[in-house]
Amino acid sequence: MPFYVRAGKRLATRRTEIAIHFRAIPFCLFGRDDACLMEPNVLTLGIQPDEGITLRFACKQPGEEIRSAAVTMDFSYARAFRTPMREAYERLLRDCMRGDATLFWRRTRSNELGSS
């Protein structure tokens, strides 16, 4: 599976996301080229600053004619829960002050002995 990494400094916005572009359909289902001019489906995972998931896919428009349109399903944590999202280090420092070591890596006795 080929993938591309795009990065840059001094961009207009600060954004981290993973966009998975699915392959286009291999053949025309309905025998008409104009019905098959669909963009590939795209699954976008928003990492930072807007955490969420977006899925864009082709869908048949209602009616007798065979027409497709791009449909977008969008989920955003900020819009869904109406609470401000904390930065990663803010959450980490809060857990540290509370003594919650759930997300911290630590050496245990079994790690030192090695698993046999």
Side-chain angles (χ1 to χ4, degrees):
M1 169 189 284
F3 64 92
Y4 303 97
V5 176
R6 295 182 186 149
K9 295 181 180 180
R10 298 184 54 109
L11 296 175
T13 60
R14 181 176 164 234
R15 184 170 188 83
T16 304
E17 69 181 16
I18 299 170
I20 301 167
H21 293 256
F22 295 92
R23 292 183 183 174
I25 56 173
F27 56 89
C28 187
L29 295 174
F30 303 108
R32 293 181 21 211
D33 288 335
D34 59 340
C36 294
L37 297 175
M38 295 183 276
E39 295 181 19
N41 299 338
V42 179
L43 175 64
T44 306
L45 307 172
I47 308 295
Q48 187 181 22
D50 301 319
E51 290 96 351
I53 299 173
T54 302
L55 177 62
R56 189 180 75 214
F57 57 94
C59 180
K60 182 189 175 297
Q61 291 182 355
E64 294 180 18
E65 293 185 29
I66 299 174
R67 289 188 181 165
S68 63
V71 178
T72 302
M73 296 178 72
D74 187 24
F75 169 76
S76 169
Y77 280 99
R79 286 194 310 266
F81 299 112
R82 306 264 188 236
T83 59
M85 296 296 294
R86 294 190 165 101
E87 293 289 328
Y89 287 113
E90 185 179 350
R91 287 181 277 190
L92 187 68
L93 289 172
R94 189 192 75 217
D95 289 346
C96 183
M97 288 186 290
R98 288 183 176 175
D100 183 3
T102 306
L103 300 177
F104 292 93
W105 185 86
R106 58 197 170 275
R107 181 174 289 213
T108 61
R109 182 89 172 124
S110 62
N111 290 23
E112 292 173 5
L113 298 175
S115 56
S116 300

